[in-house]
Amino acid sequence: MPEGRIVKALSGFYYVADEGRIFSCRARGLFKKKGAKVNPLVGDWVVYDAINEEEGYVMEVGERTSELVRPPISNVDQAVLVFSMYKPAFSALLLDKFLVHTEKAGIDSVIILSKADQVSEEEVAAAVQKYEAIGYTVIPTSTKQQRGLQEVRDILHDRISVFAGQSGVGKSSLINALFPGVSLQTGDVSEKLGRGKHTTRHVELIALDGGGYVADTPGFSSLEFMDLTELDLAEAFRDFSDRAPDCKFRGCLHVTEPSCAVQDALESGELSKERYENYLQFREELKEYQRRNKPW
């Protein structure tokens, strides 16, 4: 039987793309992986049984390289995090929170700095240097100046990408500048509430000319620290986890433990104190979330 990728899921139908053709499929029975029931997701590679030129059944779901719960999508290669340098001002706190979620999901992140023409080059360079030093790709952009647009096109090529980021940063304007004629319902995330605004009823992969997909989703619809442990949080900071093997204790949380390599790096100026302060704030948010959701 042929294989294809689910590019849209809506009202119990899975739209499977295979060599330029789309088949509207129902799921045949229940799917199990490692003892757990799974539902097909947008992004899944599936085996399907075509019953005519347009319809069929999903018979088998392939292995997933990554999986997000909100939005429900699999096999995402990267999250494109769009953050503004001006109105709204760049928020390192919110960016670090997004990075925690993408690291936990095992998805690489590319950081896009929009409206880079509205601030000094020194401010842009400082943000680029900070996050490139951690290991992230950072691309300053300006739709007015067409700055960085080709670089963004290049990183989207032949990959499945989810756009997310700060509210009001101009994600739609950026995507329109990148791909004229492609309309995405890019949802924004409220910085104050950390919750998504519901702007689309389904997840869909939009095929890009030359290869690759962009997910038409509201982005991350929740930024609460669900399903995270304290160790997960510590490991989601790349710059901390790189140094964790040099800590005295395995599973070090880099707070009060003796002979902590992260603490040593902070004292020597090798690590960003701002990032560490954000980490401490997230720890408090995690504890509060766990307290509110403690089973009784």
Side-chain angles (χ1 to χ4, degrees):
M1 284 185 284
E3 295 184 1
R5 187 192 294 275
I6 297 176
V7 295
K8 181 168 70 171
L10 185 64
S11 302
F13 285 92
Y14 301 95
Y15 296 83
V16 179
D18 184 10
E19 296 185 352
R21 300 168 64 190
I22 303 291
F23 292 85
S24 173
C25 298
R26 291 278 193 180
R28 176 75 83 182
L30 298 174
F31 303 98
K32 292 185 177 182
K33 286 196 180 302
K34 298 178 180 178
K37 295 178 182 178
V38 297
N39 292 318
L41 292 176
V42 170
D44 276 339
W45 284 104
V46 297
V47 174
Y48 69 98
D49 182 14
I51 57 177
N52 56 44
E53 294 296 315
E54 297 181 347
E55 300 173 302
Y57 290 96
V58 173
M59 307 300 292
E60 183 180 337
V61 177
E63 293 295 325
R64 294 168 180 165
T65 59
S66 63
E67 181 179 343
L68 291 175
V69 177
R70 282 166 295 274
I73 187 170
S74 69
N75 298 323
V76 171
D77 295 308
Q78 62 190 359
V80 181
L81 305 181
V82 186
F83 275 72
S84 172
M85 295 301 298
Y86 179 75
K87 289 188 178 180
F90 178 75
S91 171
L93 179 71
L94 188 59
L95 175 53
D96 285 344
K97 184 172 285 191
F98 271 95
L99 291 172
V100 165
H101 285 77
T102 57
E103 290 289 336
K104 177 62 168 60
I107 298 170
D108 198 16
S109 290
V110 176
I111 300 168
I112 306 297
L113 303 177
S114 65
K115 305 179 187 178
D117 58 310
Q118 299 295 308
V119 297
S120 70
E121 281 301 312
E122 288 77 14
E123 287 183 66
V124 175
V128 171
Q129 182 179 9
K130 176 181 178 181
Y131 286 94
E132 281 189 343
I134 301 169
Y136 294 105
T137 297
V138 187
I139 305 175
T141 65
S142 167
T143 55
K144 291 181 180 179
Q145 299 177 343
Q146 299 288 297
R147 177 180 178 181
L149 300 188
Q150 188 56 50
E151 291 177 73
V152 179
R153 291 189 189 98
D154 291 343
I155 61 103
L156 297 177
H157 181 68
D158 280 345
R159 309 194 81 190
I160 294 182
S161 306
V162 172
F163 274 73
Q166 222 172 348
S167 177
V169 299
K171 290 191 292 296
S172 296
S173 298
L174 176 62
I175 291 171
N176 290 338
L178 289 166
F179 308 104
V182 173
S183 177
L184 295 187
Q185 308 225 16
T186 52
D188 291 328
V189 174
S190 164
E191 181 177 353
K192 182 178 293 185
L193 298 178
R195 296 177 182 274
K197 300 172 184 176
H198 190 69
T199 59
T200 184
R201 291 181 298 276
H202 67 277
V203 178
E204 184 172 355
L205 294 180
I206 306 298
L208 302 177
D209 291 340
Y213 291 93
V214 172
D216 186 2
T217 82
F220 297 92
S221 60
S222 175
L223 288 178
E224 288 192 315
F225 295 114
M226 295 177 287
D227 304 322
L228 260 71
T229 65
E230 288 183 292
L231 185 57
D232 288 335
L233 181 60
E235 291 177 342
F237 280 73
R238 283 188 182 181
D239 34 354
F240 299 176
S241 60
D242 288 346
R243 291 168 171 81
D246 295 326
C247 293
K248 180 177 181 180
F249 296 103
R250 182 175 297 178
C252 182
L253 300 177
H254 322 305
V255 182
T256 59
E257 298 90 340
S259 301
C260 170
V262 170
Q263 292 287 350
D264 292 343
L266 281 167
E267 290 181 14
S268 66
E270 295 175 40
L271 287 180
S272 165
K273 289 185 178 180
E274 182 182 37
R275 284 260 297 170
Y276 186 73
E277 289 170 0
N278 291 345
Y279 167 64
L280 294 181
Q281 179 168 329
F282 297 161
R283 279 177 53 84
E284 293 305 313
E285 291 183 27
L286 174 60
K287 291 176 183 178
E288 174 61 20
Y289 178 84
Q290 291 173 337
R291 185 191 65 79
R292 292 199 317 268
N293 294 275
K294 185 176 181 180
W296 299 101

